[in-house]
Amino acid sequence: MSHPPLRVRKAAVLGAGVMGAQIAAHLANADVETLLFDLPAKEGDKSGIAQKAIANLAKLSPAPLAEKSKVAGITPANYDEHLEALRGCDLVIEAIAERLDWKLDLYKKIAPYLSDSAVIASNTSGLSINALADALPVKLRARFSGIHFFNPPRYMHLVELIPDRETDRDVLAGLEAFLTTTLGKGVVYAKDTPNFIGNRIGVFSILATMHHTAQFGLGFDLVDALTGPAIGRPKSATYRTADVVGLDTMAHVIKTMADTLPNDPWHAHFQSPAWLSALIAKGALGQKSGAGIYTKRGKDIVVLDLAKQDYAASGAKPSEEVAAILAIKNPVEKFAKLRASADPQAQFLWAVFRDLFHYSAYHLADIAETARDVDFAIRWGYGWKLGPFETWQSAGWREIAGWIAEDIAAGKAMSSAPLPEWVGRVDGVHHAAGSYSPKSGKDEPRSQHPVYARQLFPDALLGEKFDTGTTLWENDGVRLWQLGDDGIGIVSFKTKMNTVNDAVLDGIQHAIGYAEKNLKGLVIWQTGEAFSAGADLKGMLGFVQAGKIDLLESMIANFQRTSQRIKYALVPVVAAVRGLALGGGCEFQMHCARTVAALESYIGLVEAGVGLLPAGGGLKEIAVRAAQRAADGDPFPEVKRLFETVAQAKLSGSALEAKQLGLLRPDDVVVFNAFELLYVAKRIALAMAEAGYRPALPADAVTVAGDVGLATLKMALVNMLEGRFISAHDNEIATRIGDVLCGGRIERGSQVDEQWLLDLERKHFFELAQMPKTQERIQHTLTTGKPLRN
């Protein structure tokens, strides 16, 4: 399978609405030069509509731009003046309102300006792709498809690709590789049916939940408590999600299902409940209008109570019986208990799952090629831990199928349509050989597209196992292992949240020694969602409270030793970072020869938040970098910039922002797809080894800002203290951070070595650790997970 790659130098997004502008932002994140088109404005600059949409990107939360300056990659345009510019675009994504007639008009307008190699796609969420393709000149249809991003496009992993009858396979394969690697997405192929896969199943699940909410007489907040993390779904559960999406949008999608699926056996249920229509009529559209199913009264969040026709206090909890059932780890036992229980909450949950399974199985053949596509679409598009088929299979395929059939026969299900006969022939849909396809009647393996060779550990479906390599050495803290025989070792931590304790520190040092003798390079990579949450705070607080200061002292010295061992290893050590890299986790990657970070990496030296300062070599490393970057020999401007990052415990909102904050180096690599992280990090470690890697010589003459630098920082702090922006303890911590970064109270322009700076870090760390206010902060963070400003 060798398909020509899709090289996108320039793209255009047509439609500067919420989705269009955010798709343009994500293309700009990936350094794709993007034109954002909209209608010509009636007055002022004709590109005013697009300009306004671009300006609005900075205000949205979560942020569509991974780093503010990326906005420069988007150019506003309008259909009156700039159609000529489409000739230079390799990819054109249409994202205007969901009206077939408007889209068809636009296609006729742009068709003459599209180049012969341009790929054209519609980001429709449910209109027929073939009906849209028919409006294009015949020669363009082979390069057209549906490309459905989920909202918000930067963060949602799912993109559905929907070919038309004539779409060229090479075009699709090129687009799939571009979406996967350049934009970091998970691609699922969908058939051209209304709402495709994600929204067809996802919206049905919401409709089933609404139906059973009324049937069992439950409150909206109780249903959210039952259908969120308790069953492996996002915190926003059902009704909070509806508020976030917009109740008008929700009603529109339900109406689309009613209009476009007249023969669906569940058609009678495709209507908005009366309360939803009433809220929309009042202008209560959810989050965007300030009120919907939920709203705020003062500081309290209140929920709509249908019986009272008013908002009431929210926060209902599941019954004791149901909470106990949901806590059961074994899904087979859990589902059996839900079905058998007389508690209305348990009956509600069983009914919601039963109808979801029934609907998914009934429609699998007409909406998707395999069960895998349905499960990934729901996981990646709706944030569920398991897709519908995985949930069903994990709970016992045959038993559940029997119960669904019984409920259909007894008239309890939402539809009397029988389960398809394939359900009885198989024992689950996911197996070692692949996932079930009703079309071929057998399990189909994962895609053989070469882009997936870059995913050494792709997102695993139920029961899928990937080669976990060969263990070379391990202790309680880390595992040193190898995947394949490229000579690159991988170090993974074994602690909770990959926190750092003495076993991890000793393990890293041992692994480096092993690598220097036997390997070409090392990668530090974790299997979970976090790189490392930093030092083990609980352990450190225990040492202080028990008066074992000597143990704390030796741990911090060991921390610094480990960082220096990483920095001066004789083989390249590459950090592969994704998710959280806090405190010590951040310090480790700062000492690696190179960092490869997934775009969604949240990196920070956040110790000030718990009343401490970084003492694993992080401040030393900042001082060294500031001296190296000093344009005229004065490190202070760089120190001042990075001082704010550390003193304010700033956390980067992305890997690109971490570069701006000085926590990643300009030449560190950012990878958009977290599943490709290990592959890229291993390749980079190997390339560095092949290029004859040597560590830098020890920094023995670091020019520091000294007493004058510290005095300047302290002046700024005094103003903040007097303005009550910071507390006295914040001032204490920040002053000590400044002292280390400026090299202590010595003459400005003096030169020191790394050990001098490490000693300063350690000294201040111990003094802070023994202060009651710091101990209060640590305790508070351990208890609540939030920082304390005391």
Side-chain angles (χ1 to χ4, degrees):
M1 262 181 82
S2 70
H3 297 284
L6 171 63
R7 304 270 185 221
V8 182
R9 191 178 300 279
K10 194 170 187 177
V13 177
L14 313 177
V18 177
M19 271 313 264
Q22 292 198 64
I23 292 168
H26 196 55
L27 286 162
N29 287 336
D31 291 329
V32 176
E33 191 186 334
T34 304
L35 296 168
L36 181 60
F37 276 85
D38 211 301
L39 296 164
K42 303 254 189 309
E43 45 203 58
D45 189 319
K46 280 198 171 179
S47 297
I49 297 174
Q51 283 166 357
K52 202 170 156 194
I54 294 167
N56 191 47
L57 288 170
K59 299 179 194 141
L60 293 177
S61 171
L65 292 162
E67 192 267 296
K68 286 193 177 71
S69 71
K70 290 287 177 190
V71 76
I74 313 174
T75 306
N78 68 79
Y79 304 123
D80 269 10
E81 301 174 307
H82 303 118
L83 288 176
E84 275 295 332
L86 288 172
R87 296 190 198 281
C89 293
D90 308 298
L91 173 64
V92 177
I93 299 174
E94 169 271 306
I96 69 167
E98 292 287 271
R99 286 246 327 240
L100 191 63
D101 52 343
W102 292 358
K103 289 183 192 277
L104 300 183
D105 278 349
L106 180 60
Y107 292 5
K108 289 194 181 78
K109 191 186 284 184
I110 64 166
Y113 299 94
L114 299 174
S115 81
D116 287 345
S117 59
V119 172
I120 312 109
S122 173
N123 178 58
T124 174
S125 56
L127 293 176
S128 163
I129 297 304
N130 283 297
L132 292 170
D134 291 344
L136 289 166
V138 177
K139 63 173 188 166
L140 292 179
R141 289 178 199 167
R143 296 199 312 283
F144 178 75
S145 67
I147 175 173
H148 180 215
F149 287 86
F150 273 60
N151 193 12
R154 170 183 156 191
Y155 300 93
M156 296 310 283
H157 192 58
L158 178 65
V159 171
E160 292 176 313
L161 259 190
I162 311 98
D164 67 38
R165 281 179 225 100
E166 298 168 53
T167 312
D168 183 311
R169 291 282 135 194
D170 278 349
V171 167
L172 285 169
L175 198 49
E176 184 173 4
F178 170 77
L179 288 166
T180 303
T181 292
T182 308
L183 297 187
K185 297 299 161 201
V187 173
V188 165
Y189 280 88
K191 294 185 181 181
D192 187 16
T193 57
N195 286 7
F196 312 128
I197 300 173
N199 284 340
R200 181 77 178 268
I201 302 293
V203 173
F204 174 78
S205 171
I206 292 170
L207 281 169
T209 306
M210 287 177 173
H211 172 77
H212 293 304
T213 301
Q215 187 191 349
F216 292 100
L218 306 181
F220 297 132
D221 54 336
L222 175 59
V223 169
D224 276 353
L226 290 167
T227 58
I231 58 168
R233 297 186 190 169
K235 283 204 292 282
S236 56
T238 304
Y239 293 107
R240 274 205 178 86
T241 300
D243 268 353
V244 171
V245 168
L247 301 185
D248 50 343
T249 308
M250 188 61 94
H252 174 78
V253 175
I254 296 170
K255 185 178 181 317
T256 304
M257 285 179 83
D259 294 348
T260 54
L261 296 165
N263 303 321
D264 191 303
W266 282 261
H267 188 267
H269 297 287
F270 298 165
Q271 50 184 314
S272 295
W275 58 262
L276 181 61
S277 308
L279 283 174
I280 294 168
K282 282 201 313 207
L285 307 179
Q287 203 170 326
K288 61 188 168 192
S289 69
I293 299 164
Y294 291 88
T295 189
K296 259 190 151 169
R297 290 223 169 129
K299 286 195 170 169
D300 300 327
I301 296 199
V302 288
V303 65
L304 187 64
D305 182 328
L306 291 180
K308 293 183 185 153
Q309 286 290 303
D310 193 9
Y311 291 97
S314 73
K317 298 259 189 304
S319 68
E320 279 182 24
E321 182 188 339
V322 170
I325 296 174
L326 290 175
I328 296 169
K329 289 273 185 282
N330 178 346
V332 176
E333 187 189 339
K334 184 187 304 188
F335 271 79
K337 288 218 158 115
L338 281 177
R339 187 162 193 268
S341 168
D343 187 314
Q345 297 178 22
Q347 292 178 341
F348 160 81
L349 280 171
W350 160 250
V352 167
F353 277 116
R354 173 200 64 216
D355 291 319
L356 169 68
F357 298 159
H358 184 190
Y359 192 81
S360 303
Y362 185 89
H363 285 297
L364 175 60
D366 38 284
I367 65 173
E369 290 299 333
T370 70
R372 179 192 304 111
D373 298 331
V374 171
D375 281 342
F376 276 151
I378 291 294
R379 268 217 239 160
W380 295 343
Y382 281 77
W384 295 11
K385 281 211 166 59
L386 293 177
F389 290 118
E390 291 177 291
T391 308
W392 176 353
Q393 185 170 331
S394 69
W397 183 267
R398 293 229 153 106
E399 182 127 53
I400 297 272
W403 291 338
I404 297 171
E406 277 174 35
D407 280 10
I408 296 169
K412 288 182 181 172
M414 284 168 71
S415 161
S416 59
L419 279 171
E421 56 88 34
W422 64 260
V423 170
R425 274 188 290 134
V426 301
D427 192 12
V429 288
H430 300 304
H431 303 104
S435 296
Y436 185 74
S437 160
K439 188 173 163 191
S440 68
K442 58 182 201 287
D443 290 337
E444 298 291 347
R446 276 177 175 260
S447 166
Q448 296 304 297
H449 192 306
V451 76
Y452 298 113
R454 298 167 60 85
Q455 300 188 14
L456 304 178
F457 292 93
D459 204 351
L461 278 164
L462 183 74
E464 264 188 314
K465 296 273 185 284
F466 301 106
D467 178 10
T468 52
T470 318
T471 302
L472 301 174
W473 178 85
E474 63 186 321
N475 69 354
D476 288 342
V478 310
R479 173 183 180 228
L480 168 63
W481 53 291
Q482 208 177 345
L483 196 61
D485 55 0
D486 55 5
I488 301 300
I490 303 163
V491 177
S492 301
F493 302 175
K494 296 176 172 184
T495 47
K496 191 177 173 185
M497 290 288 286
N498 302 317
T499 50
V500 180
N501 58 19
D502 272 319
V504 170
L505 296 170
D506 296 342
I508 293 172
Q509 293 177 51
H510 184 94
I512 291 171
Y514 182 101
E516 288 173 336
K517 286 197 187 75
N518 306 300
L519 299 167
K520 294 177 182 173
L522 271 187
V523 170
I524 303 177
W525 177 82
Q526 317 294 11
T527 49
E529 293 293 295
F531 178 71
S532 171
D536 170 15
L537 276 182
K538 202 169 168 189
M540 290 194 331
L541 185 63
F543 288 154
V544 178
Q545 289 174 335
K548 297 179 177 168
I549 296 300
D550 53 333
L551 287 178
L552 184 62
E553 190 139 14
S554 71
M555 183 183 169
I556 296 304
N558 200 15
F559 221 119
Q560 293 186 339
R561 240 191 335 275
T562 307
S563 293
Q564 293 297 82
R565 188 78 180 86
I566 292 172
K567 183 175 181 177
Y568 294 111
L570 295 172
V571 293
V573 182
V574 173
V577 173
R578 68 170 160 189
L580 293 173
L582 307 179
C586 176
E587 289 176 295
F588 283 159
Q589 67 80 24
M590 289 175 82
H591 286 81
C592 286
R594 183 71 56 83
T595 294
V596 181
L599 178 70
E600 299 309 333
S601 293
Y602 310 110
I603 303 174
L605 292 171
V606 295
E607 287 84 351
V610 290
L612 294 165
L613 51 68
L619 295 180
K620 175 267 303 178
E621 207 50 28
I622 287 177
V624 171
R625 289 181 190 182
Q628 286 166 345
R629 287 190 199 141
D632 51 1
D634 178 12
F636 185 71
E638 193 68 8
V639 163
K640 179 169 174 272
R641 188 170 77 85
L642 295 172
F643 167 73
E644 282 178 24
T645 298
V646 188
Q648 294 175 12
K650 282 187 186 171
L651 189 62
S652 76
S654 71
L656 297 175
E657 207 175 284
K659 287 191 176 191
Q660 296 300 106
L661 292 173
L663 301 169
L664 288 179
R665 291 156 290 207
D667 62 343
D668 283 335
V669 176
V670 177
V671 171
F672 273 55
N673 194 321
F675 294 110
E676 297 183 351
L677 188 62
L678 181 58
Y679 171 88
V680 175
K682 282 176 53 137
R683 288 297 180 103
I684 284 175
L686 198 56
M688 292 174 86
E690 299 293 353
Y693 175 80
R694 295 284 306 165
L697 292 172
D700 286 337
V702 181
T703 305
V704 292
D707 47 10
V708 177
L710 181 60
T712 312
L713 294 178
K714 279 164 80 172
M715 262 161 48
L717 289 170
V718 165
N719 290 336
M720 290 178 77
L721 188 61
E722 285 179 356
R724 304 220 170 151
F725 294 109
I726 58 173
S727 70
H729 197 51
D730 290 329
N731 181 53
E732 177 75 46
I733 301 157
T735 303
R736 290 168 181 270
I737 290 169
D739 190 66
V740 182
L741 292 179
C742 294
R745 300 179 191 205
I746 54 176
E747 204 176 319
R748 175 187 184 168
S750 301
Q751 292 192 321
V752 300
D753 62 8
E754 290 192 40
Q755 193 55 52
W756 171 272
L757 295 165
L758 289 170
D759 292 345
L760 272 177
E761 273 187 3
R762 261 199 340 274
K763 165 184 168 300
H764 286 305
F765 182 91
F766 289 117
E767 289 171 7
L768 283 171
Q770 293 174 72
M771 292 180 184
K773 277 197 174 347
T774 286
Q775 292 170 31
E776 279 169 32
R777 284 191 180 196
I778 296 174
Q779 191 63 62
H780 187 269
T781 301
L782 287 171
T783 317
T784 66
K786 295 186 172 79
L788 170 71
R789 296 322 299 228
N790 56 354

